[in-house]
Amino acid sequence: AAPDYSPAVVVGTGYGAAVTALRLGAAGIPTLMLEMGQLWNTPGEDGKIFSDMLSPDRRSSWFKGRTEAPLASFLWLDLANRNIDPYAGVLDRVHFGDMSVYVGRGVGGGSLVNGAMAVTPKRWYFEEILPEVDADEMYGRYYPLANSMLGVNDIDPDWFETCDCYQFARVSRKHAHKTGLKTTFVPSVYDFDYMRREEAGEVPRSALASEVIYGNNHGKRSLDKTYLAAALGTGNVTIQTLTEVRDIAQQQDGTYTLTVRRIDAEGNVLGVRQLGAKYLFLGAGSLGSTELLVRARDTGKLPDLGEDVGQGWGTNGNVMLGRANHVWDPVGALESGMPALGIDAWDDPVHPVFAEIAPVPAGLETWASLYLAITKNPERGWFSYDPGADRAVLQWDVAQGQPSIDAAKNLFDKINSANGTIYRYDLFGDTRAFENRFTYHPLGGLVLGKATDLYGRVKGYRNLYVTDGSLIPGSTGVNPFVTITALAERNIARVLAEDF
Ligand code: FDA
């Protein structure tokens, strides 16, 4: 059992949380991590820890009666989703009216379910989104540190040209180049050498066995294998799973009291209790950390929290779309679950787009090219508190997604026109070509320099910190986890030097 008081508590076990716990532990500070999801280390009856995308079972989803895959349909048929028993599975899709947000649940947070793309943004764009952060320090020190700690690796370009599993990416590249667009390899925390051996038949398949959003049984350097393993290795960090932080209050002496709810994997509540902490770090992700502070402010438990708490939330401009290829241009039946190439049109002055060439790991030829486009959408959402549901509710209107669609359409209309191809209208449950009703990249809610100071210290409270994606003001221009990691490294270095 966890102690009733811990000098430092970290909420969550995603990127920001994992960095913070390692650095606290390495500095000799006893640190307790609280994670609402499970530790994913025990194989089920099929010998696997995670289920795949073709036959997802209850391990796939966080308390759902049916899976909720991003590709809702194929030829308008609901082929991807399955009825399942509610369970503490690894992927959640949190619904807020016109927007839903995918998040990972478990020790490692989003690293368990994400596409492993480890991209450092262009420096000029980083300077635009976070102008008050020293970019020399970020690009000279913290991005390289994050990349090395996360185990980021590059694909062997010769293998990329010849392997079966990236034929889909080569086809999309050909179409992009014919349009006069640039493509770029995307670094990854999936071990490309392991993938090469998967294709050669030397090791059990994971990326090549339709595994990605419901977890990878092999090959991926998720946080439990990198930062969290190192954190536990300090001997000062413990992780308590299936433990959700519900409330935060402050005592007279300035310490924090957390109300935590323990459940079992079937969702039965085992108990609710209080924990004390001197230093409290919120790493529960953009949705989780923002909810905790919006709730604390609006229920009067942390009344000095300001108006900036809950503001500045964005989707990183996410929009998904598919193109229909000609029959003579097959993408191949074997598609790696991990993207390795992107179309880089971020320099476009009107409609910047970074479009990942995404797989459709269906195990058969689809003649479809899929993309997750990251666009520069200036629209921002915010969170209100719903007392009835005791929940922070995202305020995001469907019209706010339109700039993302406009940008993606501008780019992909050109690609279609240069290649004589059309959009796919059968992938998102109705006849839309562009899906922007979900995001994989929730960012903001507790923005750096607004709800916190320039190092993640929450304004109005001492020894209370934000460490995760909620610090980033809605956009990174590329996939966000390397930036979240690097920023967390930067912030905890300063906090350890000044506050302890
Ligand atoms: P993160 O969300 O990782 O972790 C938060 C943790 O806190 C979770 O484990 C959660 O269960 C826990 N938690 C929340 N509330 C809690 C509470 N009240 N009490 C206790 N625990 C609580 N990015 C990228 O760079 N490259 C990519 O390829 C992809 N691909 C991708 C695919 C999919 C399917 C998803 C869902 C996401 C991605 N992403 C991605 C996004 C990336 O995974 C995401 O930006 C980071 O995981 C966010 O890191 P954070 O540290 O903010 O929190």
Side-chain angles (χ1 to χ4, degrees), residues 10-18 34-37 62 70 91-92 101-119 186 212-214 223 243-246 283-289 291-292 295 338-339 356 372 439-443 467-470 478-485:
V10 177
V11 185
T13 56
Y15 291 92
L34 302 173
E35 168 57 53
M36 65 194 277
W62 182 256
L91 182 69
D92 199 357
V101 181
Y102 282 104
V103 292
R105 298 268 181 239
V107 174
S111 76
L112 298 168
V113 298
N114 68 32
M117 283 169 278
V119 193
V186 173
V212 53
I213 62 170
Y214 302 136
L223 288 168
T243 302
E244 184 190 2
V245 177
R246 296 292 306 171
S286 168
L287 293 188
S289 295
E291 172 163 271
L292 284 170
R295 184 189 283 133
M338 303 295 144
E356 297 151 8
L372 181 77
T439 181
Y440 288 151
H441 300 165
L443 294 170
T467 68
D468 55 27
S470 42
V478 292
N479 318 67
F481 74 61
V482 177
T483 298
I484 295 170
T485 304

Side-chain angles (χ1 to χ4, degrees), residues 30 172 284 352 411:
S172 280
L411 183 78

Side-chain angles (χ1 to χ4, degrees), residues 182-255:
K182 272 189 313 202
T183 55
T184 179
F185 284 118
V186 173
S188 182
V189 293
Y190 196 92
D191 181 344
F192 280 120
D193 189 54
Y194 188 89
M195 197 188 295
R196 187 185 53 72
R197 290 188 286 142
E198 286 179 54
E199 185 161 313
E202 295 165 12
V203 290
R205 286 185 165 185
S206 179
L208 302 200
S210 303
E211 290 181 359
V212 53
I213 62 170
Y214 302 136
N216 281 90
N217 286 299
H218 308 280
K220 196 203 261 184
R221 295 164 182 158
S222 46
L223 288 168
D224 49 323
K225 302 189 176 65
T226 59
Y227 270 103
L228 291 170
L232 294 177
T234 67
N236 291 317
V237 176
T238 47
I239 303 176
Q240 194 173 319
T241 59
L242 292 168
T243 302
E244 184 190 2
V245 177
R246 296 292 306 171
D247 269 315
I248 303 168
Q250 194 179 33
Q251 302 305 312
Q252 296 280 316
D253 64 359
T255 62

Side-chain angles (χ1 to χ4, degrees), residues 392-448:
V393 180
L394 174 65
Q395 305 298 321
W396 176 270
D397 186 86
V398 71
Q400 294 181 276
Q402 194 59 40
S404 306
I405 292 184
D406 294 344
K409 186 170 186 316
N410 175 66
L411 183 78
F412 286 97
D413 279 359
K414 286 186 210 154
I415 295 181
N416 279 336
S417 141
N419 292 280
T421 52
I422 57 167
Y423 292 107
R424 293 280 298 231
Y425 297 95
D426 59 324
L427 301 178
F428 305 115
D430 48 24
T431 57
R432 73 186 63 220
F434 298 94
E435 173 63 286
N436 69 342
R437 295 168 300 177
F438 73 77
T439 181
Y440 288 151
H441 300 165
L443 294 170
L446 303 169
V447 171
L448 193 82

